[in-house]
Amino acid sequence: MTTTSIDIARQMVSDYHLQADKESTHALADILICKKYKKGEMILNEGEVCKCMRYVEKGMLRQYYFKHEKDMTEHISYEKGVVICLESYFRQEPTRLMIEALEPSVIWEIDKEQIDKLAVEHSVIGVLYRKILEDSLIESQIKADTLRFEPAHERYNKLLQIHPEILKRAPLVYIASLLQMTPETLSRVRAASLTN
């Protein structure tokens, strides 16, 4: 059975524990655009402007950047996750982050200009929009604090607790990069956590 934009609008509202009337749900559904990506396909390149939020219906996406010619994973998202390059999105300036599909993925794009307008017209969409952005900012803060203050095994355990799907499905090299550790350290931490 094919998922419709109405199904996704309802899903998003329910993900954030909100109640939306039919008119608001339909207004949100009207601005959702479905895109399908193959594994390894680029969704956003460095230098492009992030003009939309992306809601993951199916699959897994990775946000990453290059530092000293090294590929660094910033964020991994999967079903019911929202992917935004925050600075580029808010400022409408070119991004340094890239987004690629780690699995065959079905994504729903939510255009910034359109959701900005809807958020003013429909209070429940305004609340939904705020909650999505709040979640994104909080997740960024938690990640920054974890990397700053926690040793490797705690970083791994936190990811296991919050996002076990990433540990099950993402390639080890990207998980290691996400946790800012070498693949060797990740293997050791993983082995230790299995014996505990």
Side-chain angles (χ1 to χ4, degrees):
M1 201 177 89
T2 312
T3 310
T4 66
S5 60
I6 290 279
D7 295 330
I8 294 298
R10 285 193 187 116
Q11 181 66 58
M12 288 180 74
V13 168
S14 112
D15 287 350
Y16 289 90
H17 314 290
L18 298 170
Q19 303 271 303
D21 57 43
K22 197 172 173 184
E23 190 190 344
S24 302
T25 306
H26 280 262
L28 177 59
D30 286 345
I31 68 165
L32 295 172
I33 294 168
C34 185
K35 297 269 179 86
K36 292 180 178 172
Y37 295 95
K38 296 184 186 81
K39 180 179 175 175
E41 198 173 343
M42 290 306 293
I43 296 167
L44 186 73
N45 286 296
E46 185 176 11
E48 293 177 347
V49 175
C50 180
K51 295 182 176 171
C52 63
M53 301 188 291
R54 292 169 171 90
Y55 179 85
V56 185
E57 179 193 338
K58 183 173 166 290
M60 188 169 266
L61 308 185
R62 173 175 85 111
Q63 277 176 298
Y64 69 102
Y65 59 95
F66 285 104
K67 185 177 177 180
H68 309 306
E69 293 176 25
K70 223 175 138 191
D71 168 327
M72 310 290 284
T73 301
E74 173 72 20
H75 183 71
I76 295 174
S77 234
Y78 50 92
E79 290 80 15
K80 298 186 181 183
V82 176
V83 180
I84 320 167
C85 298
L86 283 170
E87 188 179 7
S88 176
Y89 182 82
F90 285 128
R91 293 188 167 160
Q92 287 298 283
E93 290 174 358
T95 184
R96 284 183 292 188
L97 290 172
M98 292 159 275
I99 304 174
E100 73 167 329
L102 291 183
E103 299 174 352
S105 299
V106 180
I107 310 302
W108 292 82
E109 293 185 349
I110 308 155
D111 178 80
K112 183 182 188 303
E113 279 184 22
Q114 292 181 303
I115 189 103
D116 283 347
K117 189 167 168 284
L118 276 193
V120 174
E121 294 167 0
H122 300 268
S123 61
V124 70
I125 305 288
V127 174
L128 173 68
Y129 191 24
R130 194 187 76 232
K131 282 179 176 280
I132 290 170
L133 295 173
E134 278 173 5
D135 272 10
S136 194
L137 289 165
I138 289 166
E139 184 136 357
S140 294
Q141 183 69 53
I142 289 169
K143 181 175 188 277
D145 288 348
T146 301
L147 293 174
R148 246 185 243 126
F149 304 119
E150 294 178 8
H153 70 279
E154 284 179 22
R155 296 201 297 266
Y156 176 84
N157 288 335
K158 186 166 266 179
L159 187 65
L160 180 62
Q161 186 189 345
I162 302 172
H163 295 295
E165 281 302 304
I166 292 175
L167 293 170
K168 282 186 211 150
R169 291 160 53 187
L172 280 182
V173 64
Y174 298 147
I175 296 170
S177 174
L178 180 70
L179 294 170
Q180 291 192 6
M181 53 179 84
T182 63
E184 295 72 30
T185 303
L186 175 60
S187 293
R188 276 200 307 275
V189 167
R190 250 190 144 143
S193 91
L194 291 172
T195 57
N196 285 345

